[in-house]
Amino acid sequence: MSTKPQLPERPSRTAGGPTALDGLLVIDFTRVVAGPACTQTLADFGARVIKIENPDGGDDTRAYEHAEIGGESAAYLSLNRNKTGIALDLSVVEAREIALDLIRKADVVVENFSSGVMKKFGLDYEAVAPLNPRLVYCSISAYGRTGPFASRPGFDPITQAESGFMSLNGFADGPAVRTGPPIVDMATGMSACNAILLALLARDRLGRGQHVEVALFDVAMGMTGFYGMAYLINGENPGRFGNSPSGSPTVGVYEASDGPLYMACANDRLYRRLAVEVLNRPDLIIDPKFATRKARSENKELLRAAIAEVFASDTLENWMTKMKLANIPVGYLRTVEEGFNAPEARERGRLSRIPHRTARWVPNIEPPITMSLTATVDPVAAPLLGEHTERVMSETLGYDDKRIAALAEKGAFGPRKAPRSD
């Protein structure tokens, strides 16, 4: 039976402590994964991120079906922490005028619409740059904003497939396999965040902003890493190696008598310790078939069989103890449930719970960045659809109640009045 970890309340940061991006205003036109992942990182470190959503359903991830709590999906909650949420129907001219007012005040705009959408609304970089020359404008797309492929729709698994990245995943005797989590989307979000921060640093020197672009296809191709580089050098198409990269027999999954482990014993020094101190098989060093890395690769099936036979003779915990004493890189092969209930997750404080308006509490996974001076902000759960619309109109743009009511009547915020934030 599955068990959820007991999540502690998230401890507050030091009162009055500085944040890395304090005072930065980001207008976020993104949805789904790559864009929201980018802007969430900016929000986590102190930027004020105003997320603009279509009042008709909002961000697509709100409807994802992995799990839901308080009427919000796991996908949406995982990607939109610490943001201020407003609803604008950009098909309404008054809503576009609001968007332009926000952009005039912004440091950063991030968008990942299909090609041509922002131009159709008069919100593309060329249209808004004259209004705000210091603006950093980031476009995220599948194949870039220019060239013959700019209009092609694309998603994470498509770019995994087309870039060659997917061909590296899986076993040699099976089909190519996409990664479970949307790794290209997440990496694209990280790259977009880097691009924005680079442009902000350049703005401090040059006095002006710029347009930066990040494309999923480009990121996926870059993530082929040294396999892609090796192909460019030797012209040999790399294949799939399952859990043993480059066919290394001492890297991969092995089965103890009662469960699996993953070992990464990838150099001669570690291999000697493994054979002598852990497996008690000095013959695996002396035998010419296994004496060198090249020989081990040439006889990898023989070696894997020998190692597997030894591992199968004892329990997982006994092997883990021996390997840790010998300082061999090894880990438990865990499920998500096991990983999230593991001591590493607990001791590193990776999981907590934070307040939510409709669910009371929602789970929180900490950002994977630790900064000694400018820590992350205290996390605030992802906003309800349109939750802060009136507050942004009033506090950020200075609109009075009469103007806000008139905009609502015009349909700028959707067919129904957006809810007032607490």
Side-chain angles (χ1 to χ4, degrees):
M1 180 178 177
S2 295
T3 57
K4 293 190 295 185
Q6 295 298 309
L7 300 177
E9 292 186 34
R10 208 274 192 175
S12 297
R13 74 195 307 270
T14 302
T19 64
L21 300 177
D22 184 49
L24 195 77
L25 178 59
V26 179
I27 308 303
D28 178 5
F29 290 93
T30 71
R31 70 268 189 269
V32 194
V33 179
C38 165
T39 53
Q40 179 169 267
T41 299
L42 299 175
D44 284 342
F45 286 90
R48 187 181 182 206
V49 175
I50 298 178
K51 181 180 177 72
I52 297 175
E53 295 182 80
N54 184 335
D56 183 16
D59 191 319
D60 294 351
T61 57
R62 289 182 180 274
Y64 282 17
E65 298 176 347
H66 302 96
E68 68 89 25
I69 184 171
E72 301 287 9
S73 75
Y76 173 75
L77 289 170
S78 73
L79 292 162
N80 293 283
R81 177 180 55 228
N82 290 325
K83 300 178 185 179
T84 299
I86 72 172
L88 290 180
D89 183 352
L90 295 176
S91 68
V92 175
V93 63
E94 288 82 3
R96 297 197 293 274
E97 291 170 357
I98 293 169
L100 286 170
D101 281 349
L102 289 169
I103 290 170
R104 287 185 180 95
K105 293 177 173 286
D107 296 285
V108 177
V109 164
V110 191
E111 61 90 11
N112 65 345
F113 281 115
S114 299
S115 180
V117 171
M118 291 297 274
K119 185 176 181 66
K120 178 181 72 173
F121 292 141
L123 300 173
D124 56 307
Y125 180 70
E126 289 73 18
V128 302
L131 307 177
N132 184 352
R134 288 177 56 81
L135 182 69
V136 171
Y137 189 112
C138 179
S139 294
I140 302 171
S141 62
Y143 301 96
R145 287 288 183 238
T146 59
F149 305 110
S151 62
R152 279 192 66 192
F155 297 90
D156 174 294
I158 304 301
T159 55
Q160 284 194 39
E162 292 199 331
S163 64
F165 178 87
M166 191 183 295
S167 75
L168 300 170
N169 302 316
F171 291 91
D173 59 352
V177 178
R178 64 164 285 179
T179 61
I183 189 67
V184 173
D185 270 335
M186 300 303 291
T188 300
M190 295 176 193
S191 297
C193 188
N194 285 340
I196 290 165
L197 297 176
L198 290 168
L200 289 170
L201 285 171
R203 186 179 74 171
D204 288 344
R205 297 199 329 273
L206 304 176
R208 58 171 295 180
Q210 60 182 295
H211 189 197
V212 299
E213 288 193 53
V214 185
L216 273 70
F217 182 85
D218 301 352
V219 170
M221 179 168 282
M223 287 176 64
T224 63
F226 43 76
Y227 294 108
M229 182 61 72
Y231 162 71
L232 293 174
I233 291 171
N234 62 26
E236 296 179 9
N237 196 25
R240 292 183 288 283
F241 308 107
N243 289 312
S244 299
S246 299
S248 174
T250 48
V251 176
V253 176
Y254 286 91
E255 292 283 343
S257 62
D258 58 348
L261 57 85
Y262 192 97
M263 177 175 66
C265 183
N267 62 44
D268 285 335
R269 175 175 47 85
L270 291 173
Y271 175 72
R272 286 192 294 270
R273 292 213 301 262
L274 172 71
V276 175
E277 299 177 32
V278 177
L279 302 178
N280 195 26
R281 288 286 302 272
D283 59 296
L284 296 179
I285 297 174
I286 299 168
D287 190 324
K289 294 193 298 291
F290 311 129
T292 67
R293 184 182 178 96
K294 181 179 180 181
R296 291 194 293 275
S297 294
E298 291 172 349
N299 296 283
K300 61 179 180 286
E301 297 305 327
L302 282 175
L303 181 55
R304 283 192 67 85
I307 294 173
E309 182 178 9
V310 180
F311 275 131
S313 69
D314 206 345
T315 64
L316 178 62
E317 288 305 323
N318 284 343
W319 288 123
M320 295 296 284
T321 299
K322 290 178 181 178
M323 295 179 80
K324 288 177 181 178
L325 285 173
N327 205 26
I328 302 295
V330 66
Y332 298 97
L333 183 59
R334 293 169 172 151
T335 63
V336 171
E337 178 182 356
E338 290 166 341
F340 276 51
N341 285 279
E344 291 89 344
R346 181 176 63 251
E347 294 301 322
R348 290 192 55 75
R350 302 313 304 154
L351 305 174
S352 63
R353 59 176 186 163
I354 57 177
H356 187 267
R357 186 169 169 182
T358 58
R360 189 181 177 205
W361 298 97
V362 296
N364 180 58
I365 303 173
E366 287 294 311
I369 300 171
T370 300
M371 300 181 72
S372 62
L373 179 62
T374 54
T376 57
V377 300
D378 288 333
V380 176
L384 304 181
L385 180 56
E387 180 175 350
H388 307 107
T389 302
E390 291 186 11
R391 193 175 87 189
V392 168
M393 298 304 107
S394 174
E395 296 178 6
T396 304
L397 296 180
Y399 295 177
D400 60 25
D401 290 346
K402 182 178 179 181
R403 184 173 182 182
I404 295 170
L407 288 165
E409 187 67 26
K410 291 279 190 179
F413 312 134
R416 288 190 294 272
K417 186 177 180 181
R420 181 183 293 274
S421 62
D422 292 336

